[in-house]
Amino acid sequence: MTIKSARVTAYSAPYDEPITNGLYTYTHTEIVVVELEMASGVTGVGWTHGGRIVYEAAKEVAQVVIGQPLNTERIWKMIYRPKIFGRRGLATRAISAVDIAVWDAIGKETGRSVHQLLGGCRGQVPAYVAGGYYGKGKGLDGLQKEVSSKVSTGAKAIKMKIGAVPIAEDIARVDAVIEAVGPSVDVLVDANNAYSRLDALKMARLLEERNIFWFEEPLSPEDNAGAAELVQRTDVPIALGENEYTITGFRELITARAADVLNADAQILGGITEWQKCAHYADANHIPVAPHGDQEIHVHLVAAVPNGLVVEYYDNSLNTLKDAMFKQQLELNADGSITAPNRPGLGFDLNHAALEKFRVQD
């Protein structure tokens, strides 16, 4: 099981209209794909979100693993090189994509799914559907129509964005979503680091009254002390971690008691190898993990560990490459859950023909 060659490709697909969260506006879904061809002919596939910087970093990182056997810890030690690729940031996304491809290759070589390789705690996991971004002319009616359509697909939990408008306006949006989805559907909110400490506490108090499932990334990812204070001063669960890197970063979050739920993202923090360590360390501290990021990867990880809480689900309105990317599709079950594929590896084959029109030329 030796890596023979590596191929890195970048893809980009526009949104019909730009989407905005608490701090950022996006015009495209951008994905970097790493394909590791084995001596046996098997190809492991890993991917992450990001543009040119991630693409260039992934090309550099992928070259390091050529000729290596599929020893995950050995490879991770080789590609996590702070003096060469940096300790955190976009280069770590590139490292993540390579590591994910290694795990996909291991599964395909051994005939086992990734969730089975990692522990196979269960085969089906709860999911929430992401959405509720700000959009030009969307308004409350448009927001309600959007979340209602997601519930009609079977979703039992919906996440929406807050933080880009005054608190009173966002609370009106939250109330509109609660009204649209009804009492049997959980509502999660995500501020994407938009609030000051004072405004985060104000919003948290209002979200408590509405029994919100969680309040995600209220503060800057650099403010662990502020997040810890918010955890102590509010009853709404605080979820964060999508902008954290490696087991060291998550150790710092856990030590600071900065989160009730950890949104550890294998596509960002360093791959599946490092994600598993973060999840086990969180479990030892009685903290659930609920990854940010693509469901095709994270359904395996949440299914593998005893403290996996819920998987984020993107439809094609948020990941505009979703329907083109794979020959197989991962859909919600009628009860709002997702079933982890039992196919070898991650269980998804790239649809190169469908992706070609989205490929970014060098």
Side-chain angles (χ1 to χ4, degrees):
M1 296 196 294
T2 303
I3 298 170
K4 177 182 176 183
S5 64
R7 179 182 184 220
V8 179
T9 316
Y11 300 97
S12 178
Y15 295 109
D16 292 335
E17 295 286 343
I19 59 173
T20 299
N21 62 28
L23 283 182
Y24 309 103
T25 296
Y26 302 95
T27 60
H28 292 70
T29 296
E30 295 180 308
I31 289 179
V32 174
V33 176
V34 174
E35 297 173 81
L36 300 179
E37 184 182 357
M38 309 303 298
S40 65
V42 160
T43 297
V45 178
W47 68 98
T48 189
H49 291 255
R52 173 61 63 175
I53 295 173
V54 177
Y55 173 59
E56 295 295 339
K59 289 195 294 183
E60 293 287 335
V61 175
Q63 290 301 308
V64 175
V65 305
I66 294 174
Q68 294 299 315
L70 293 177
N71 297 336
T72 55
E73 290 292 343
R74 176 178 173 179
I75 286 177
W76 203 89
K77 185 177 180 180
M78 292 177 65
I79 61 179
Y80 185 72
R81 304 170 72 190
K83 290 282 285 184
I84 306 299
F85 301 123
R87 290 180 58 241
R88 301 183 178 187
L90 295 180
T92 311
R93 295 189 182 213
I95 290 168
S96 301
V98 172
D99 180 84
I100 291 165
V102 169
W103 278 97
D104 187 48
I106 292 171
K108 289 173 177 174
E109 290 277 23
T110 61
R112 302 192 72 195
S113 70
V114 168
H115 75 90
Q116 292 168 335
L117 290 172
L118 294 176
C121 189
R122 51 186 166 163
Q124 192 167 300
V125 296
Y128 69 85
V129 178
Y133 283 73
Y134 303 92
K136 185 178 179 181
K138 195 174 197 177
L140 296 182
D141 288 345
L143 180 61
Q144 288 188 315
K145 288 178 182 177
E146 177 196 346
V147 297
S148 295
S149 70
K150 294 181 188 299
V151 170
S152 71
T153 67
K156 297 297 185 290
I158 297 289
K159 188 169 83 175
M160 63 175 292
K161 300 300 185 178
I162 61 172
V165 298
I167 288 175
E169 189 175 339
D170 262 336
I171 284 297
R173 295 174 66 253
V174 172
D175 286 341
V177 168
I178 292 172
E179 178 184 35
V181 302
S184 63
V185 175
D186 288 316
V187 176
L188 301 69
V189 303
D190 183 1
N192 293 103
N193 316 121
Y195 289 118
S196 67
R197 289 188 182 188
L198 289 176
D199 283 345
L201 183 58
K202 290 177 185 177
M203 177 56 86
R205 294 276 166 78
L206 294 167
L207 297 174
E208 282 178 7
E209 299 171 5
R210 290 158 173 80
N211 198 31
I212 294 300
F213 188 86
W214 78 39
F215 185 7
E216 184 174 337
E217 286 206 306
L219 302 171
S220 164
E222 312 299 337
D223 191 8
N224 287 350
E229 182 178 344
L230 199 57
V231 167
Q232 294 301 313
R233 298 182 66 181
T234 181
D235 289 334
V236 63
I238 303 301
L240 49 89
E242 77 173 75
N243 285 300
E244 195 52 82
Y245 302 88
T246 74
I247 182 62
T248 302
F250 282 88
R251 182 195 66 197
E252 292 169 357
L253 284 181
I254 291 169
T255 299
R257 299 184 179 180
D260 298 297
V261 179
L262 292 176
N263 302 133
D265 184 340
Q267 294 171 284
I268 291 175
L269 65 85
I272 292 173
T273 299
E274 200 74 349
W275 189 95
Q276 186 179 35
K277 295 174 186 176
C278 294
H280 290 328
Y281 189 67
D283 191 34
N285 286 272
H286 311 287
I287 300 174
V289 288
H292 167 272
D294 292 349
Q295 60 265 18
E296 292 86 359
I297 294 169
H298 290 109
V299 65
H300 287 278
L301 307 190
V302 171
V305 297
N307 57 327
L309 179 62
V310 65
V311 173
E312 185 164 27
Y313 184 90
Y314 298 114
D315 59 26
N316 202 62
S317 69
L318 291 186
N319 180 352
T320 47
L321 287 164
K322 172 185 176 293
D323 291 347
M325 194 161 175
F326 301 112
K327 294 178 181 178
Q328 304 85 1
Q329 294 293 320
L330 184 62
E331 305 294 351
L332 289 175
N333 298 322
D335 63 356
S337 67
I338 303 177
T339 301
N342 280 320
R343 300 182 293 270
L346 293 169
F348 297 95
D349 299 309
L350 286 173
N351 189 339
H352 289 101
L355 281 171
E356 182 57 29
K357 68 178 180 178
F358 302 111
R359 185 164 63 88
V360 177
Q361 301 296 325
D362 283 335

